[in-house]
Amino acid sequence: MRYAAYVKWVAASLAGLRPRLLALVVIAVVPALGLSVYNALEYERATAADVQQNLLKDLRAIALEHDATLDRARHLLTALAQLPVVRRRQAGECSAVMARLLGALPDYGNLGAAAADGRVFCSAVPLPGPVDVADRPYFRQALETRGPAVSEYQVGRITGEPTINLAVPVVGETGRLRGVVFAALGLGWLRHAVRTLPSEHSLTVLDHRGVVLARLPEADDHIGRPAPDTAVLRLVLGQEQGVTEGPDLDGRPRLLAFVSIGGNLGAGRLHLVAGVPQGAVFERGRYALRRQLLGLGVIALAVVAIGWLMGEVFVRRQVKILVAAAKRFGAGDLTVRVGPRYGGGELGEVGRAFDEATEKLERLTRQTSLVFSSVGEGICGLDRDGTITFANAAAARLSGWEAQELIGRPMHATFHHTRRDGTPYPRDECPGREAVRMGGTRRIVGEVFWRKDGTPFEVEYVTAPIREGGQIVGAVVAFQDVTDRREAERRLQQQRDALLRSEKLAELGRLAAGVAHELRNPLTVIDARVQLLKQRTAGLPGLPERIESDLASLEEAAERMRRIMDGLAAYARPARREPALLDVVALLRALADLVGHHARNSRVQVAVEAPESLPPVLGDRSQLMQILVNLATNAIEAMAPEGGRLVLRASPGTAGDRRAVEGSAPEGSVLIEVADTGPGIPPDGIDRIWEPFYTTKSEGTGLGLAIVRSLVEQQPAAAIAVESAPGAGTTFR
């Protein structure tokens, strides 16, 4: 991910023309810089190889000097073994001779002799006490081989210094071993051998185990300790000689050379490591490299500056003019031109071709715009995401937006976000979206679009996909406002419905007149029989009150039937009546008594809620009572047989009352409500209950509410409305 981000950053940095010209200059300079660095590295490698070979040559010379020193020590001991003071074990005289010799040989640590049992009896260095060397390997080797022997470098018991011990056997005149003479050779010879090394060089002497025996320059903190276990140490201890690079004992990087020496007498091997600091070797070459790179850098900067200036004068100015014109063109300005001065070369040709293309495109766009502006339908072009890319003048006019405001806005969220009833319209169900997703042309009717001010208007629209190269790249939507046409169609339909209703009402009127005529004669007989029964039972002693109540009920029912027939007659041929002032509270109480028996049988409770202070109303008592009885009866039948509650309510009606039925209630009006707790009226039937012959009852005729509304319309300043919901009861007002 980091590499990809870096590549993007480099690409963005080189996007401009000037950076690319500068990149070319840099690319031209980079090989020279690379060649200089390569030459410097080759010089360092050659210098390092020369220095290491010289170090190795010096170490070989030191190794030869070491072997020569051991050889001279062997000859010296051979001569000392012949001295009489040694053969006779004259300790004092022998020690004096050895001391004088040691003073003349500064590279030696000690000279002495030991008896055959290992006891030292002669020493140039005063003995601290009895010293026994019988356990020393070089002592035993000299006795066993009767020849010279050499030890490894070790710390001497007498001198306390790191030395290498040489031993030569002492043989008596009879050939019997008398002991050995020995010499402790220190590292003084090493200091004389390295006097020719430069001061910044280092020299380290290691034994075969890697223990530091000597260090130049002096470093007492390393003497007698094992050197750090590094790759360099393992290389030194594993090979006879060679060169390498790495850290020395002080941790500084050095060029190193090493040799292994052991002498001609079989002594333990020593390892000499010489080093020189890399900085001291490479300083001159690196200084020359810095000067060379600095010169190349100055030249590169000069070339970059010249290229920058020339690119600005001869290239970038013309390119900036082209870029500015292209940006204005991309923003929609089709009048932009690069000319009339184009200049020469390829950039001038590009400018001239640009102007020719924009001029042709401007003419074509103007013609297309005139065509779309002349179309009465709103037309919008959409991309695959449903964003408006084009809108004509009709689309702007119908929607209340400016054409430029519509560009870049999502069409669904701008025009089509909500259905007619205000519920959200999901974007995935939008036909415009479907045209992009599925393809195909669709014609949509019965929907609404929304204007900028939030008002809806009825539309018919067509959606079709836009294809390019076989792929759907967008859609086009053409719509028109059909509000006026729909309103005209609705008015025409209302007129047709009114005509049909008038025809139905006329037929109903004829039917009602016939029914009223046919029922009037039987009703007269019933009423006459009731009156006759009342006369015959009047004054009879012991007459049950129940019979009187039943006769009164029969008389009331007969009166009610008479009023119903009068209502049918009025519906068929409305008669002018003289309204009177009526007490609404008394009407409601009489209504409660009249429907009480029916309500009790249907398990319905009837309640009257009305203040006594209600003003009287102007109306026809018989018609108003017929209206209320019809509404109450319908409510009771709707709640039977489960039962419920019927409320007959009256209250003053005011102009500001939200419960006013229609318009503003006149001063002194009364609001009457017949409310039940029944199942309610379905939503699809609430607007049809007033139609003749429409009913929700299995045995209903559908005339009751039609008669009620007809009677209400005959009352002065009266109106009726209904409120109902499934499961929440019904209220007529």
Side-chain angles (χ1 to χ4, degrees), residues 352-366:
R352 186 175 292 102
F354 177 86
D355 285 354
E356 292 175 356
T358 53
E359 186 174 355
K360 293 179 181 178
L361 184 59
E362 183 184 8
R363 288 199 303 268
L364 179 60
T365 303
R366 187 183 304 110

Side-chain angles (χ1 to χ4, degrees), residues 276-288:
V276 59
Q278 292 183 356
V281 175
F282 301 142
E283 182 61 29
R284 290 185 59 186
R286 292 177 179 176
Y287 175 73

Side-chain angles (χ1 to χ4, degrees), residues 626-676:
Q626 184 177 351
I627 293 170
L628 296 176
V629 169
N630 201 332
L631 294 177
T633 302
N634 284 348
I636 293 171
E637 292 176 353
M639 291 184 283
E642 289 82 4
R645 177 179 172 82
L646 173 63
V647 179
L648 307 176
R649 186 182 298 113
S651 60
T654 61
D657 194 341
R658 289 183 303 170
R659 297 177 300 172
V661 177
E662 292 183 2
S664 299
E667 190 67 26
S669 63
V670 173
L671 180 68
I672 301 175
E673 295 180 323
V674 179
D676 65 67

Side-chain angles (χ1 to χ4, degrees), residues 13-76:
S13 301
L14 297 177
L17 183 60
R18 183 183 294 176
R20 293 183 180 182
L21 292 175
L22 297 181
L24 292 176
V25 174
V26 171
I27 292 173
V29 174
V30 164
L33 295 176
L35 183 60
S36 298
V37 173
Y38 175 78
N39 291 335
L41 294 177
E42 288 295 319
Y43 174 79
E44 286 190 358
R45 283 193 289 270
T47 303
D50 290 342
V51 170
Q52 289 174 323
Q53 292 301 320
N54 290 332
L55 286 176
L56 187 59
K57 181 179 179 181
D58 293 339
L59 290 180
R60 288 171 180 166
I62 294 173
L64 293 175
E65 179 65 21
H66 174 266
D67 292 342
T69 300
L70 291 181
D71 194 52
R72 288 193 296 270
R74 180 177 62 82
H75 289 293
L76 175 63

Side-chain angles (χ1 to χ4, degrees), residues 241-361:
Q241 64 181 10
V243 295
T244 186
E245 297 180 12
D248 203 353
L249 292 180
D250 56 6
R252 295 176 60 187
R254 297 177 184 269
L255 300 176
L256 301 173
F258 59 89
V259 296
S260 176
I261 59 177
N264 298 326
L265 302 178
R269 303 187 69 81
L270 292 181
H271 301 278
L272 305 181
V273 182
V276 59
Q278 292 183 356
V281 175
F282 301 142
E283 182 61 29
R284 290 185 59 186
R286 292 177 179 176
Y287 175 73
L289 176 62
R290 287 194 293 269
R291 290 184 59 186
Q292 189 173 6
L293 293 179
L294 179 60
L296 287 175
V298 172
I299 295 173
L301 289 177
V303 173
V304 167
I306 294 172
W308 186 282
L309 181 60
M310 294 182 65
E312 177 68 26
V313 174
F314 297 106
V315 179
R316 195 164 180 268
R317 287 183 181 178
Q318 299 183 39
V319 172
K320 286 172 66 177
I321 295 174
L322 291 172
V323 170
K327 288 183 177 179
R328 290 177 56 189
F329 176 76
D333 184 4
L334 301 182
T335 63
V336 63
R337 298 292 184 271
V338 176
R341 299 178 59 184
Y342 297 104
E346 291 82 357
L347 293 178
E349 293 297 326
V350 171
R352 186 175 292 102
F354 177 86
D355 285 354
E356 292 175 356
T358 53
E359 186 174 355
K360 293 179 181 178
L361 184 59

Side-chain angles (χ1 to χ4, degrees), residues 68-138:
T69 300
L70 291 181
D71 194 52
R72 288 193 296 270
R74 180 177 62 82
H75 289 293
L76 175 63
L77 291 178
T78 300
L80 292 177
Q82 303 301 322
L83 294 177
V85 293
V86 175
R87 290 187 174 188
R88 296 172 186 170
R89 300 180 183 173
Q90 297 174 348
E93 292 83 353
C94 178
S95 296
V97 172
M98 296 298 182
R100 287 194 298 273
L101 287 174
L102 184 62
L105 300 172
D107 292 337
Y108 285 74
N110 193 16
L111 294 171
D117 59 359
R119 181 177 54 82
V120 177
F121 64 88
C122 173
S123 175
V125 178
L127 297 174
V131 176
D132 190 349
V133 296
D135 59 335
R136 294 292 192 181
Y138 68 89

Side-chain angles (χ1 to χ4, degrees), residues 16 47 88 147 156 163 177 235 262 278 290 296 387 461 463 470 500 628:
T47 303
R88 296 172 186 170
T163 57
L177 288 174
L235 181 64
Q278 292 183 356
R290 287 194 293 269
L296 287 175
T387 302
Y461 63 98
T463 64
L500 180 60
L628 296 176

Side-chain angles (χ1 to χ4, degrees), residues 205-214 222-227 233 237:
V205 181
L206 306 172
D207 65 8
H208 67 282
R209 294 182 300 271
V211 177
V212 179
L213 300 178
H222 293 292
I223 302 301
R225 298 181 181 179
L233 177 64
L237 298 181

